């Protein structure tokens, strides 16, 4: 029976088709740029869109976050309606009173900001220390590096320094949009069509009738003209970067690089400089999901220090690796391009290995630095997953057989498999059609973990899963291969 209290994305994990459709949708979402400030024609329309976006993100728990394998997992225990942080297969001792949350991680996972349904904002450091930031908080944005947070309480904009555990009020008045610098020392925001910059305890008026995209640690601000869709940078004055851009743009984690489109070609601006052409094609991005963040205003930040660390993909499935070698005469960067003819692909965290399924169901692995390097691993493949390094690849054939591959050789692991995940140490965890959960280490026979399993998540070195015990909620278990698995809650919901 489907658990009505558990979100659909958790209930559907055990269905191979549903799970893969969901993953495809996520990848489609990645491959189509977010419309960050649609049309940007008049302020009233923009404000209305922002109000709608805020309601959607705050109450549907899809805001923010960098998904980091090292960060703790949260679980709602329905026995006391408290979110509990899980670490190494057990409760860490940190609990948050709430029936719902939104959360965001810093890039390396050291800090996690949590806004509860009771509007209480907290910051968790290293999965061990809970800092109560403030109450009656409506929205917040987290710094990508420092873990500090800017947030709105009533009609005031505030800043919380997570390192020094200090809070301060930045501005009094209605704030529509705000962004925090990676180091958490600067905040750019909009009040009544005016853009302000907070830095070193002082607030300075920057300009009017623009929308800020981001602010760097050096105080470089990228903005968009709301009427013309022109993109500007600001240091000591406004500098036109490009005119008539589309809504297709994204930012690196240090907030000093922006790639954007004018509808025909892609351009880059670094440290506020004039645009340089990157590609004559309209390109999207391809990255592991852990490298993408959305804040409350749906700004897209890629969790890389430089946008040259990314891979990009266009509508014809050409993969681009930009090479940091600028040709001033050609007005473009060199790039490595090859075609994979697939929309089903995954990338290792270092961006060096690309695994994909061709339109004919053949599984390939390729070296992203070598054009045409794809090597066939298997045929008739229905779905696959990889660990962060792509050193272990698990795939399910159309007949339901599960295989493990190291990128060259493959071995059969199980049969009648619906869903699988890989632990970082290489063990494969999978659920069969009869809802039985197994794990299999390389060269060893699979071992049964539990029956009636509804959801599965390999997280860092631990594994969490839920079992439908016949009650209205699922029982939650967690642990490791070496320590075994123990009951965490008999009335619970995971938040992965």
């Amino acid at each position: 029976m489907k658990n009505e209290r558990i979100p659909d994305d958790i209930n559907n994990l055990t269905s191979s088709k549903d799970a893969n459709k969901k993953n495809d949708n996520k990848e489609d979402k990645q491959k189509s740029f977010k419309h960050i400030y649609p049309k940007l024609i008049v302020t009233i329309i923009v404000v209305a869109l922002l109000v709608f976006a805020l309601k959607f993100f705050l109450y549907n728990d899809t805001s923010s976050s960098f998904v980091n394998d090292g960060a703790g997992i949260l679980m709602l225990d329905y026995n006391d309606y408290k979110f509990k942080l899980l670490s190494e297969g057990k409760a860490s001792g940190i609990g948050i009173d709430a029936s719902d949350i939104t959360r965001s991680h810093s890039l390396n996972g050291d800090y996690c900001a949590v806004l509860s349904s009771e509007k209480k904002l907290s910051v968790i450091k290293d999965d061990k220390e809970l800092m109560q930031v403030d109450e009656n908080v409506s929205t917040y944005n987290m710094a990508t590096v420092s873990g500090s947070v800017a947030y709105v309480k009533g009609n005031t904009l505030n800043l919380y320094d997570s390192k020094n555990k200090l809070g301060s009020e930045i501005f009094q008045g209605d704030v529509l949009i705000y962004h925090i610098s990676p180091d958490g020392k600067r905040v750019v925001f909009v009040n009544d069509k005016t853009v302000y910059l907070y830095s070193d305890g002082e607030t300075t008026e920057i300009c009017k009738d623009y929308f800020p995209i981001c602010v760097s640690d050096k105080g470089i601000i990228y903005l968009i003209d709301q009427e013309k869709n022109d993109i500007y940078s600001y240091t000591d004055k406004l500098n036109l970067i490009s005119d008539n851009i589309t809504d297709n743009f994204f930012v690196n984690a240090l907030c000093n690089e922006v790639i954007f489109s004018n509808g025909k070609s892609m351009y880059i601006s670094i440290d506020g400089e004039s645009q340089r052409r990157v590609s004559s094609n309209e390109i999207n991005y391809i990255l592991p999901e852990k490298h993408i963040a959305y804040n409350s205003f749906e700004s897209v930040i890629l969790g890389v220090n430089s946008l040259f660390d990314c891979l990009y993909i266009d509508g014809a499935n050409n993969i681009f690796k930009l090479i940091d070698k600028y040709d001033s005469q050609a007005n473009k960067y060199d790039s490595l391009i090859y075609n994979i003819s697939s929309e089903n692909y995954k990338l290792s965290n270092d961006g060096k290995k690309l695994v994909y399924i061709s339109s004919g169901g053949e599984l390939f692995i390729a070296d992203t630095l070598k054009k045409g390097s794809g090597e066939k691993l298997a045929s008739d493949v229905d779905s696959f997953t990889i660990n962060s390094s792509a050193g272990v690849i698990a795939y399910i054939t159309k007949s339901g057989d599960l295989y493990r591959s190291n990128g060259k050789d493959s071995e059969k692991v199980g049969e009648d498999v619906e869903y699988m995940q890989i632990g970082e140490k290489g063990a494969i965890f999978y659920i069969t059609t009869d809802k039985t959960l197994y794990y299999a280490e390389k060269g060893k026979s699979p071992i049964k973990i539990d029956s009636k399993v509804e959801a599965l998540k390999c997280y860092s070195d631990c594994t969490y899963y839920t079992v439908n015990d016949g009650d209205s909620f699922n029982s939650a278990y967690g642990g490791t291969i070496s320590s075994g698995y123990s009951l965490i809650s008999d009335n619970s919901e995971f938040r992965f």
Side-chain angles (χ1 to χ4, degrees), residues 305-479:
N305 289 336
S306 173
L307 295 175
F308 291 100
D309 297 333
C310 304
L311 272 84
Y312 304 90
I313 187 168
D314 67 6
N317 292 320
N318 293 305
I319 300 293
F320 293 74
K321 175 67 176 180
L322 303 180
I323 302 172
D324 194 358
K325 180 183 177 183
Y326 180 59
D327 182 348
S328 58
Q329 292 183 342
N331 192 30
K332 66 180 180 180
Y333 286 93
D334 292 336
S335 61
L336 183 73
I337 307 174
Y338 64 96
N339 186 282
I340 65 172
S341 300
S342 173
E343 294 185 357
N344 193 346
Y345 47 76
K346 296 182 185 296
L347 186 69
S348 62
N349 281 359
D350 60 10
K352 294 180 180 180
K353 293 181 181 180
L354 180 70
V355 185
Y356 60 95
I357 299 177
S358 70
S359 56
E362 295 177 321
L363 183 66
F364 287 84
I365 185 171
D367 183 340
T368 58
L369 298 179
K370 296 179 181 179
K371 184 176 180 179
S373 64
E375 296 183 5
K376 179 180 173 181
L377 298 179
S379 301
D380 296 323
V381 175
D382 184 67
S383 62
F384 74 96
T385 190
I386 63 176
N387 66 347
S388 61
S389 67
V392 179
I393 303 166
Y395 62 90
I396 302 174
T397 64
K398 294 178 180 179
S399 61
D401 294 334
L402 172 65
Y403 288 83
R404 171 204 302 272
S405 176
N406 59 7
K408 295 182 180 180
D409 303 316
S410 299
E411 64 175 0
K412 187 175 179 179
V413 175
E415 299 177 344
D416 299 323
V417 177
E418 282 195 344
Y419 183 75
M420 78 291 193
Q421 287 198 353
I422 301 177
E424 278 303 298
K425 294 183 178 180
I428 299 176
F429 297 81
Y430 63 95
I431 301 173
T432 58
T433 54
D434 64 356
K435 307 302 181 185
T436 303
L437 174 62
Y438 295 88
Y439 80 86
E441 297 181 88
K442 183 179 179 181
K444 297 181 181 180
S445 298
I447 296 177
K448 177 181 174 180
I449 298 177
D450 215 332
S451 302
K452 299 181 180 179
V453 175
E454 295 291 333
L456 164 69
K457 179 65 178 179
C458 296
Y459 201 80
S460 218
D461 291 336
C462 303
T463 306
Y464 299 93
Y465 65 93
T466 61
V467 170
N468 186 339
D469 54 10
D471 296 331
S472 56
F473 314 118
N474 285 347
S475 297
Y477 293 81

Side-chain angles (χ1 to χ4, degrees), residues 117-382:
S117 50
E118 286 74 21
K119 307 303 178 188
K120 295 179 180 179
L121 180 63
S122 306
V123 171
I124 301 171
K125 180 181 179 182
D126 295 327
D127 294 349
K128 299 176 181 177
E129 182 181 359
L130 178 66
M131 293 172 269
Q132 304 286 357
V133 177
D134 211 335
E135 299 181 348
N136 300 318
V137 174
S138 55
T139 64
Y140 73 95
N141 284 332
M142 191 170 209
T144 57
V145 177
S146 70
S148 294
V149 287
Y151 65 95
V152 171
K153 175 181 180 178
N155 66 340
T156 63
L157 178 63
N158 304 272
L159 178 64
Y160 183 78
D161 183 336
S162 296
K163 181 179 180 180
N164 297 309
K165 304 177 186 177
L166 295 175
S168 58
E169 183 180 297
I170 295 177
F171 184 82
Q172 259 194 342
D174 294 328
V175 175
L176 298 178
I177 300 171
Y178 58 97
H179 301 289
I180 185 171
S181 62
D183 63 6
K185 296 180 180 180
R186 293 173 172 82
V187 180
V188 60
F189 60 95
V190 178
N191 166 261
D192 192 23
K193 300 183 181 181
T194 302
V195 181
Y196 296 90
L197 175 65
Y198 171 84
S199 178
D200 297 325
E202 296 184 359
T203 298
T204 306
E205 181 178 328
I206 301 300
C207 56
K208 293 181 180 294
D209 298 321
Y210 290 82
F211 286 91
I213 300 172
C214 62
V215 56
S216 73
D217 292 346
K218 294 180 180 180
I220 300 169
I221 305 171
Y222 281 99
L223 311 102
I224 288 195
D225 183 320
Q226 70 180 57
E227 294 183 355
K228 300 178 181 179
N229 273 13
D230 298 341
I231 186 169
Y232 288 80
S233 66
Y234 181 92
T235 48
D236 54 354
K237 63 178 182 178
L238 282 170
N239 303 295
L240 178 65
I241 302 298
S242 181
D243 57 355
N244 196 28
I245 72 164
T246 69
D247 293 330
N248 296 357
F249 59 87
F250 44 78
V251 183
N252 66 327
L254 300 181
C255 297
N256 69 326
E257 297 178 358
V258 178
I259 282 184
F260 51 89
S261 166
N262 66 358
K264 296 180 180 179
S265 299
M266 300 297 297
Y267 296 84
I268 191 170
S269 172
I270 302 174
D271 289 330
E273 67 177 9
S274 299
Q275 67 179 20
R276 304 178 186 178
R277 187 162 66 90
V278 173
S279 169
S280 58
N281 294 337
E282 181 86 4
I283 63 174
N284 303 321
Y285 57 88
I286 168 175
L287 275 174
E289 186 175 318
K290 68 177 290 184
H291 287 316
I292 301 173
Y294 304 105
N295 63 20
S296 297
F297 302 106
E298 213 172 343
S299 296
V300 179
I301 298 176
L302 303 183
V304 288
N305 289 336
S306 173
L307 295 175
F308 291 100
D309 297 333
C310 304
L311 272 84
Y312 304 90
I313 187 168
D314 67 6
N317 292 320
N318 293 305
I319 300 293
F320 293 74
K321 175 67 176 180
L322 303 180
I323 302 172
D324 194 358
K325 180 183 177 183
Y326 180 59
D327 182 348
S328 58
Q329 292 183 342
N331 192 30
K332 66 180 180 180
Y333 286 93
D334 292 336
S335 61
L336 183 73
I337 307 174
Y338 64 96
N339 186 282
I340 65 172
S341 300
S342 173
E343 294 185 357
N344 193 346
Y345 47 76
K346 296 182 185 296
L347 186 69
S348 62
N349 281 359
D350 60 10
K352 294 180 180 180
K353 293 181 181 180
L354 180 70
V355 185
Y356 60 95
I357 299 177
S358 70
S359 56
E362 295 177 321
L363 183 66
F364 287 84
I365 185 171
D367 183 340
T368 58
L369 298 179
K370 296 179 181 179
K371 184 176 180 179
S373 64
E375 296 183 5
K376 179 180 173 181
L377 298 179
S379 301
D380 296 323
V381 175
D382 184 67

Side-chain angles (χ1 to χ4, degrees), residues 23-92:
N23 290 335
D24 288 344
N25 289 338
K26 286 183 178 178
E27 290 172 351
D28 288 342
K29 188 177 182 181
Q30 292 179 12
K31 290 183 296 179
S32 62
F33 285 94
K34 306 294 290 183
H35 293 283
I36 300 180
Y37 304 118
K39 305 304 181 184
L40 299 177
I41 299 175
V42 294
T43 303
I44 295 177
I45 295 177
V46 173
V47 171
L49 288 172
L50 284 174
V51 170
F52 172 80
L54 283 176
K55 288 183 178 180
F56 177 83
F57 280 105
L58 286 178
Y59 294 105
N60 289 275
D61 193 36
T62 55
S63 73
S64 55
S65 65
F66 287 107
V67 181
N68 190 294
D69 289 335
I73 186 171
L74 285 165
M75 177 195 72
L76 176 62
D77 190 332
Y78 284 115
N79 293 310
D80 54 10
Y81 280 91
K82 177 176 289 188
F83 273 96
K84 297 179 179 179
L85 187 68
L86 307 179
S87 179
E88 298 182 355
K90 58 182 182 296
S92 68

